[in-house]
């Protein structure tokens, strides 16, 4: 085995200490088991995103007046009277 050192916040330290005591084991054994369990967890497969995953796009689109999308005519809107107030 390789000796290593970790830092735990006080709450997690106490949790590991209690678990080790309740199981009559060392803290190191509890931590080794936790690392083993974490490393054995299968990774979630990365799914390829499609356009259907982005349904929020265009949800807040604004056309003022209709037919002139803000995203295209933003500079014009800045100079219109009702946008300067």
């Amino acid at each position: 085995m390789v000796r290593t050192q970790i830092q735990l916040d006080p709450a997690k330290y106490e949790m590991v200490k209690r678990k080790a005591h309740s199981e009559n084991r060392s803290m190191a054994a509890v931590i080794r088991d936790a690392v083993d369990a974490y490393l054995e967890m299968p990774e979630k497969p990365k799914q390829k995103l499609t356009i259907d995953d982005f349904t929020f796009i265009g949800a807040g689109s604004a056309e003022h007046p209709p037919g002139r999308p803000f995203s295209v005519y933003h500079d014009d809107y800045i100079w219109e009277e009702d946008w300067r107030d």
Side-chain angles (χ1 to χ4, degrees):
M1 280 197 209
V2 176
R3 182 180 174 97
T4 189
Q5 185 175 10
I6 64 169
Q7 294 181 330
L8 300 172
D9 63 58
K12 287 190 181 62
Y13 174 84
E14 288 300 322
M15 291 171 69
V16 172
K17 185 177 174 181
R18 277 194 302 267
K19 183 165 182 68
H21 179 73
S22 71
E23 296 176 1
N24 198 27
R25 302 170 61 208
S26 68
M27 290 178 64
V30 171
I31 293 170
R32 280 193 297 270
D33 286 351
V35 170
D36 287 345
Y38 174 78
L39 294 176
E40 289 174 4
M41 290 175 45
E43 289 187 28
K44 292 181 180 176
K46 294 183 180 179
Q47 91 182 53
K48 190 166 185 147
L49 298 175
T50 67
I51 193 67
D52 294 332
D53 295 312
F54 297 92
T55 57
F56 58 88
I57 294 176
S61 64
E63 294 191 7
H64 174 72
R68 292 187 61 208
F70 186 83
S71 61
V72 175
Y73 297 98
H74 49 81
D75 289 337
D76 297 340
Y77 292 130
I78 291 172
W79 296 108
E80 287 182 7
E81 195 66 39
D82 56 342
W83 282 85
R84 285 188 274 167
D85 292 336

